[in-house]
Amino acid sequence: MKIGIIGASGYTGVELLRLLHNHPKAEVVYLTSQSNDSKPASLIYPHLDSLYEHNFVTLDDVVKNISSLDLIFTALPHGHAMAIGKLIAGGTTRLIDIGADYRFKDYKIYEEWYKVEHTHKDHLAVYGLSELNYEQIKTAQIVANPGCYPTASILALYPLIKNGLIENSTIIVDAASGTSGAGKALKNSYLFSEVFENFSPYGVTTHRHTPEIEEFLSLAAGERITITFTPHLVPMTRGILATCYAKLKPEVDEAKIAAAFKDYDNKHFIRVKKATPPSTKNTRGSNYADIGWFIDERTGRIIVFCAIDNLVKGASGQAIQNMNIMFGLDEKMGLELGPVYP
Amino acid sequence: MKIGIIGASGYTGVELLRLLHNHPKAEVVYLTSQSNDSKPASLIYPHLDSLYEHNFVTLDDVVKNISSLDLIFTALPHGHAMAIGKLIAGGTTRLIDIGADYRFKDYKIYEEWYKVEHTHKDHLAVYGLSELNYEQIKTAQIVANPGCYPTASILALYPLIKNGLIENSTIIVDAASGTSGAGKALKNSYLFSEVFENFSPYGVTTHRHTPEIEEFLSLAAGERITITFTPHLVPMTRGILATCYAKLKPEVDEAKIAAAFKDYDNKHFIRVKKATPPSTKNTRGSNYADIGWFIDERTGRIIVFCAIDNLVKGASGQAIQNMNIMFGLDEKMGLELGPVYP
Amino acid sequence: MKIGIIGASGYTGVELLRLLHNHPKAEVVYLTSQSNDSKPASLIYPHLDSLYEHNFVTLDDVVKNISSLDLIFTALPHGHAMAIGKLIAGGTTRLIDIGADYRFKDYKIYEEWYKVEHTHKDHLAVYGLSELNYEQIKTAQIVANPGCYPTASILALYPLIKNGLIENSTIIVDAASGTSGAGKALKNSYLFSEVFENFSPYGVTTHRHTPEIEEFLSLAAGERITITFTPHLVPMTRGILATCYAKLKPEVDEAKIAAAFKDYDNKHFIRVKKATPPSTKNTRGSNYADIGWFIDERTGRIIVFCAIDNLVKGASGQAIQNMNIMFGLDEKMGLELGPVYP
Amino acid sequence: MKIGIIGASGYTGVELLRLLHNHPKAEVVYLTSQSNDSKPASLIYPHLDSLYEHNFVTLDDVVKNISSLDLIFTALPHGHAMAIGKLIAGGTTRLIDIGADYRFKDYKIYEEWYKVEHTHKDHLAVYGLSELNYEQIKTAQIVANPGCYPTASILALYPLIKNGLIENSTIIVDAASGTSGAGKALKNSYLFSEVFENFSPYGVTTHRHTPEIEEFLSLAAGERITITFTPHLVPMTRGILATCYAKLKPEVDEAKIAAAFKDYDNKHFIRVKKATPPSTKNTRGSNYADIGWFIDERTGRIIVFCAIDNLVKGASGQAIQNMNIMFGLDEKMGLELGPVYP
């Protein structure tokens, strides 16, 4: 498989490079970075030294040769992948967009939350939550890789909603992320001195991952679901934990919940435990999603946690998992990396 | 004021020492530490060098001289302060217990959650949430200093409950704390290598601060309130953030909520902001409690955050604030320390 | 004392504010910040809320009223304080420059290392290492507050050099600092994701604090001293540790070294221990400089460590100590803050 | 290859498991842990869930079956591997000891610094610095895996000493390590609250890695070398940086130094850069050793840095590299993992 990575100089871009280095079937042909055009990738990222000999190229270089590629990953700010999506229409090159452009079935939600016009409304992209959309991903030309918070939140809540076990109007997702999710944006609030020894909420009631979680869960429920979603910034680089709350429906007991999560038994990258809280460290550097659930008998609520590495299962790892599915490979190929502990 | 600190070698004990060093009216006479008996405090804690010349003494040394003291702080694991409380009964020495022994009006709740018999059931201790129990604290012989999570959670929720603005059955407190709250317990899970680059829940559905929050809020509400409370461990030393969720009652609007929080306007250590999330860093090392609140219009919920330094407003700082109130001093005395930023 | 702070919106500026808040004789009149002109300081720095009511003003506002001020602190990038220094010449307003402009007796060294012309060559500024230049500081109109690395390095080495105990040609200073020393500069390498879980050298053989250390030590030695100085960045916010190496002269034994360090016995903010390594945490938030020294018998070297909080003894705390000395106050005034531990 | 890991429940033990999981020729048969005997490894280490199905066994279980194994890794405190070394004598099972028991050619040095009798004095173990002892490692029955600090220090200094470019009596190694090097020892000083926001020296003039570095360098020099070695603890989990200083011999210039380091050009895991400081983050999770060197013209010294991940190139990664060499495999097998950045 010949691969181009558009936007290879961000954190998700270099994480793709780390993971693809161990993939036996993938050959990275192009890496683009507008700002680092024609410089060696290992000059900008010394950790890649002796792993990649590539120079960064421009987007134009890829566009010219696009039909020679089997797959393109776009790791761009929202609004920029749609042009690539339109470009490959009708061809055989396939696209996995790690950004937000193709995540919504309803483009109006995208336009409302992202304040950008959707210029590729007739796309047939599949939402790339690998375990839940496995069959559709196989044949998709465009896969919209899910956001990091939505990956954790949806994996935690889906079995409960699909099986009708919770009151859907009571869902609250309280989540926390390391800083790599913010990328390399040069903002004062991302300076080490500001983030260190600090825990702080952000994007309260307005975070763009809210409608993404809602749309997927609504489809699973067969009814419109509205949630409260509150992200927090944790002083660490990698890791997301979603803590999800909902009221259990009457008569729902432990056995029913256990049965619902049993659907994950054959999902390699999902590890479920009853009454055991997961922690981000146990997933760091790996593609695992660790789920733990508790019944709060005193209040009739369920609490479900999901921990992932935001750059792996929450971004580049799931992107490669989707690539494997799209190209008929074992979904684990190149991803059987144990968590980096401690 | 002559002061004894029983249990002076834990983190809350040495934080008392840091703060009392700047207090013009307090004279620390005794510091106890069973394990460090007769050693200089500054040998065990080099940061205290040139601040305190004291040697640690044993509990017996204090007991013998207890009537010579105006005030005792107990900073002990639960179960150990009741003996001190009984000892001072009938005398003039007063007690501020930073532990849990005197926090519950209903001793049965204490016995149920702490698995210890309450041996001082007829105590008349006052719950030392300084701003909310100011008048009772003035004359109390025993003040039960609140837990760190309860301080943040109650300060966030009290105005809403007191004013009947939320559905009390929908309250969820999702909280996160730095590691100093766990003290110096030698447990594998508190090792640096385990906590660093990790975010993890603990005590899910079982944390002992749950009934403490519930009892105080229930009294404010005039009805029994049961909440879901989920603490998380953050890789930082100091700081607690409580993120509180509740459904607003019908017809409750922004103006009513603003009015409820206005009661805090004359509370020096409470800083309230609408639609601005607080962060723990802005309170670090200080006695401030920073509150921010948001209405989630899409779901009809309110989200209230409260950030404190768990060792200051969440423990030793509030203890000194209570001392000031008990002895007729300005409650700010010795506590006008700006946050240590960045 | 009426005080103006020029450059009050950097980390050393706000640290001055934290410390001056507890100073009984200082009244902060003006805070300048070009970029935040006329905004409330507590809007830009929420941690100052309820501590300072000031709005930021411009430099012009201060210049107009300069003669009404007793003291100005400049906390500016190098090159900008000289204009202020010239402005006060002949008047009674005094100046403490926390930057580098007045640190060198030999302006040519300044021009060589800072690549800027010195425009106030005839200044009579005193180098403000409080303990070592106490008498000169008393009467100085301009005090050049030392750099953070030089403060730690000089305090560690001075007694050895002054007393002729080491081979001056063998001095190596290997130092490490938290990130607040870099200020709020928006550089990619200061992002949390880059600094966290990283330890890295920088400025190798070229750091500007090298000649500052050398000039002071050379004066003490009565001969020109050249050192190797290597700084490293530590993933923490505050703290500097200087690890200093030198060959002992023949016949120098433990007793002679102990005698040399005895000169610090009456220096309140210097705490010396033999054969005990200091750690930055024990000084955090305080004005202490902790020194520990070891003889390496196997190699005939001495190893001297000095730990400080770079923003306090390494910048704003020492500036206030100098202010106290200049105005005939107890040098400890406003600085008797215990370290913030843990 | 059938493999037993003795002492599999420490940090180097589980790091071996992480790395061996990706090794195509290695089959882990036994994992021992005295304290966790017969428990599933993934119960004690949830991050291993779905990676390893093994239960921990006791040392006896391995001893009984030792001849069925091709290789044993011992990851034990010093003093415990000698029994295993004697047990395999005369057999075909080979041993890589990640501890210190076999690191010294001169057992008296071991006994002096480790305060333990050496009970296997006639061993023929080879010091496993893979790149420098490649040929001897091939045929060794016992390989003594180097300590973490020695790996970084020796790789940095060896080319200079071997080529006679520096004054050997002037060598100083100032090093800093993350906490995982200390293992899971339950000591107060390793608690998160103590290590975080702290930088501190330890083991000054007495660290046991000192003689290990000296013995190897002395053999390279053909003369006895004594160094000053000072380790520091950095608030991070993984990573070591050695900062090495030495006086250059007269007439040694940049070209000669560059030529000396050229010997590393064909060493896959060593990446050398002139005048570029390495950082631990660029090696994290990988087997790379990154070297940077600078000439300090002003003092005639050379400064050489070497950064590694202490658990990989500094322990388990190099152990697997040695395993590959011993068994005639490509030394990179199972180790081609890119650094985990950021």
Side-chain angles (χ1 to χ4, degrees), chain A residues 59-337:
Chain A
L59 179 54
D60 286 348
D61 297 319
V62 179
V63 168
K64 267 182 285 178
N65 299 288
I66 202 155
S67 63
S68 72
L69 297 172
D70 297 298
L71 176 66
I72 287 171
F73 290 102
T74 40
L76 299 167
H78 73 268
H80 294 84
M82 293 176 286
I84 311 297
K86 286 190 286 189
L87 203 67
I88 60 165
T92 58
T93 307
R94 298 164 88 177
L95 171 65
I96 297 174
D97 177 28
I98 303 185
D101 290 1
Y102 290 102
R103 288 182 190 157
F104 294 88
K105 292 218 174 302
D106 180 351
Y107 73 85
K108 284 190 239 93
I109 300 177
Y110 175 82
E111 295 188 340
E112 181 191 341
W113 288 76
Y114 286 84
K115 316 290 181 202
V116 168
E117 196 200 338
H118 205 294
T119 59
H120 190 190
K121 296 193 180 73
D122 61 344
H123 72 80
L124 297 169
V126 169
Y127 190 69
L129 229 169
S130 315
E131 284 80 6
L132 304 183
N133 274 347
Y134 192 91
E135 290 302 323
Q136 300 97 300
I137 292 165
K138 274 185 181 171
T139 54
Q141 189 188 17
I142 301 180
V143 166
N145 217 57
C148 47
Y149 286 122
T151 296
S153 306
I154 294 170
L155 287 177
L157 289 165
Y158 179 84
L160 302 173
I161 287 170
K162 188 70 189 172
N163 291 281
L165 304 179
I166 56 175
E167 305 286 357
N168 292 335
S169 66
T170 66
I171 298 172
I172 291 172
V173 177
D174 187 289
S177 173
T179 58
S180 59
K184 302 186 76 174
L186 269 186
K187 286 173 59 175
N188 191 66
S189 56
Y190 298 147
L191 287 177
F192 184 87
S193 296
E194 300 292 323
V195 174
F196 193 69
E197 189 82 353
N198 196 9
F199 183 73
S200 56
Y202 67 99
V204 185
T205 75
T206 62
H207 196 284
R208 287 162 170 170
H209 285 175
T210 312
E212 185 180 334
I213 300 168
E214 289 176 346
E215 190 184 70
F216 194 91
L217 294 183
S218 296
L219 287 167
E223 66 174 8
R224 176 143 180 67
I225 292 180
T226 310
I227 67 167
T228 293
F229 171 67
T230 312
H232 300 72
L233 193 63
V234 187
M236 61 185 192
T237 308
R238 287 168 175 248
I240 275 186
L241 184 85
T243 301
C244 308
Y245 301 92
K247 202 87 180 170
L248 290 172
K249 282 193 184 159
E251 323 267 306
V252 170
D253 59 8
E254 215 173 270
K256 282 185 185 155
I257 294 164
F261 280 110
K262 234 179 144 35
D263 286 353
Y264 285 153
D265 277 6
N266 64 343
K267 308 299 182 196
H268 178 77
F269 290 117
I270 305 184
R271 306 187 290 196
V272 181
K273 291 218 174 78
K274 195 188 102 184
T276 304
S279 67
T280 61
K281 192 185 270 282
N282 285 333
T283 67
R284 193 160 48 128
S286 81
N287 201 47
Y288 289 104
D290 284 2
I291 291 175
W293 57 273
F294 293 74
I295 297 180
D296 188 6
E297 301 283 2
R298 302 167 65 256
T299 62
R301 289 196 185 93
I302 186 165
I303 307 164
V304 193
F305 303 96
C306 181
I308 59 172
D309 183 320
N310 57 301
L311 288 181
V312 190
K313 185 60 181 173
S316 306
Q318 184 155 248
I320 290 171
Q321 189 179 358
N322 287 330
M323 172 187 85
N324 288 335
I325 298 169
M326 290 163 84
F327 287 86
L329 306 171
D330 181 341
E331 69 172 341
K332 301 190 295 293
M333 194 174 282
L335 293 172
E336 295 190 87
L337 300 166

Side-chain angles (χ1 to χ4, degrees), chain D residues 203-334:
Chain D
V204 185
T205 76
T206 61
H207 196 283
R208 288 163 170 170
H209 285 175
T210 312
E212 186 180 334
I213 300 169
E214 289 177 345
E215 191 184 70
F216 195 91
L217 294 183
S218 297
L219 287 167
E223 67 173 8
R224 174 142 181 68
I225 292 180
T226 310
I227 67 166
T228 293
F229 172 66
T230 312
H232 300 73
L233 193 62
V234 188
M236 62 185 191
T237 307
R238 288 169 176 248
I240 274 185
L241 183 86
T243 301
C244 308
Y245 301 93
K247 203 87 179 168
L248 288 172
K249 283 194 183 156
E251 322 269 306
V252 171
D253 60 6
E254 215 173 271
K256 283 187 185 153
I257 294 164
F261 280 110
K262 237 181 139 34
D263 286 353
Y264 285 153
D265 276 6
N266 65 342
K267 309 298 183 196
H268 179 77
F269 290 116
I270 305 183
R271 305 186 290 195
V272 181
K273 291 216 176 76
K274 195 187 101 183
T276 303
S279 67
T280 61
K281 192 186 271 281
N282 284 333
T283 67
R284 193 158 50 126
S286 82
N287 201 48
Y288 289 105
D290 283 1
I291 291 175
W293 57 272
F294 293 74
I295 297 179
D296 188 7
E297 301 283 3
R298 303 167 66 256
T299 62
R301 291 196 185 92
I302 186 166
I303 307 163
V304 194
F305 303 96
C306 181
I308 60 171
D309 182 321
N310 57 301
L311 288 182
V312 190
K313 185 62 181 172
S316 307
Q318 184 155 248
I320 290 170
Q321 189 180 357
N322 286 329
M323 173 186 84
N324 289 336
I325 297 170
M326 290 164 84
F327 287 86
L329 306 170
D330 182 341
E331 69 173 340
K332 300 190 294 296
M333 193 175 283

Side-chain angles (χ1 to χ4, degrees), chain C residues 174 193-194 214 245 298 341, chain D residues 174 194 214 245 298 341:
Chain C
D174 187 288
S193 296
E194 300 292 323
E214 289 177 345
Y245 301 93
R298 302 167 66 256
Y341 164 93
Chain D
D174 187 287
E194 300 293 323
E214 289 177 345
Y245 301 93
R298 303 167 66 256
Y341 165 92

Side-chain angles (χ1 to χ4, degrees), chain A residues 194, chain B residues 282 341, chain C residues 8-11 14 17 36 40-49 56 184:
Chain A
E194 300 292 323
Chain B
N282 284 334
Y341 165 92
Chain C
S9 66
Y11 288 150
V14 293
L17 293 176
N36 298 305
S42 66
L43 183 74
I44 308 303
Y45 285 109
H47 75 281
L48 296 177
D49 197 4
F56 285 120
K184 302 185 75 173

Side-chain angles (χ1 to χ4, degrees), chain C residues 24-45:
Chain C
K25 303 283 186 189
E27 183 198 350
V28 176
V29 182
Y30 296 113
L31 305 177
T32 83
S33 169
Q34 296 304 104
S35 47
N36 298 305
D37 176 27
S38 77
K39 288 184 195 144
S42 66
L43 183 74
I44 308 303
Y45 285 109

Side-chain angles (χ1 to χ4, degrees), chain B residues 206-285:
Chain B
T206 62
H207 196 283
R208 287 160 170 173
H209 285 176
T210 312
E212 186 181 334
I213 300 168
E214 289 176 345
E215 191 184 69
F216 194 91
L217 295 183
S218 296
L219 286 167
E223 66 173 9
R224 176 145 180 66
I225 292 179
T226 309
I227 67 166
T228 293
F229 172 66
T230 312
H232 300 73
L233 193 62
V234 187
M236 63 185 190
T237 308
R238 287 168 176 250
I240 274 186
L241 184 85
T243 301
C244 308
Y245 301 93
K247 203 87 180 170
L248 289 172
K249 282 192 184 158
E251 322 267 307
V252 171
D253 60 7
E254 217 173 87
K256 284 185 184 154
I257 294 164
F261 280 110
K262 235 180 142 33
D263 286 353
Y264 285 153
D265 276 5
N266 65 342
K267 310 298 182 195
H268 179 77
F269 290 116
I270 305 184
R271 306 187 289 197
V272 181
K273 291 217 176 77
K274 195 189 102 184
T276 304
S279 67
T280 62
K281 191 186 272 282
N282 284 334
T283 67
R284 194 159 48 127

Side-chain angles (χ1 to χ4, degrees), chain C residues 35-98:
Chain C
S35 47
N36 298 305
D37 176 27
S38 77
K39 288 184 195 144
S42 66
L43 183 74
I44 308 303
Y45 285 109
H47 75 281
L48 296 177
D49 197 4
S50 98
L51 295 164
Y52 286 91
E53 310 287 317
H54 299 63
N55 284 13
F56 285 120
V57 299
T58 63
L59 178 55
D60 286 348
D61 297 319
V62 179
V63 167
K64 266 182 287 180
N65 298 289
I66 203 155
S67 62
S68 71
L69 296 172
D70 298 297
L71 177 66
I72 287 171
F73 291 101
T74 40
L76 299 166
H78 72 268
H80 293 82
M82 293 176 285
I84 312 295
K86 286 190 286 189
L87 203 66
I88 60 166
T92 57
T93 307
R94 298 165 87 178
L95 171 66
I96 298 175
D97 176 27
I98 303 186

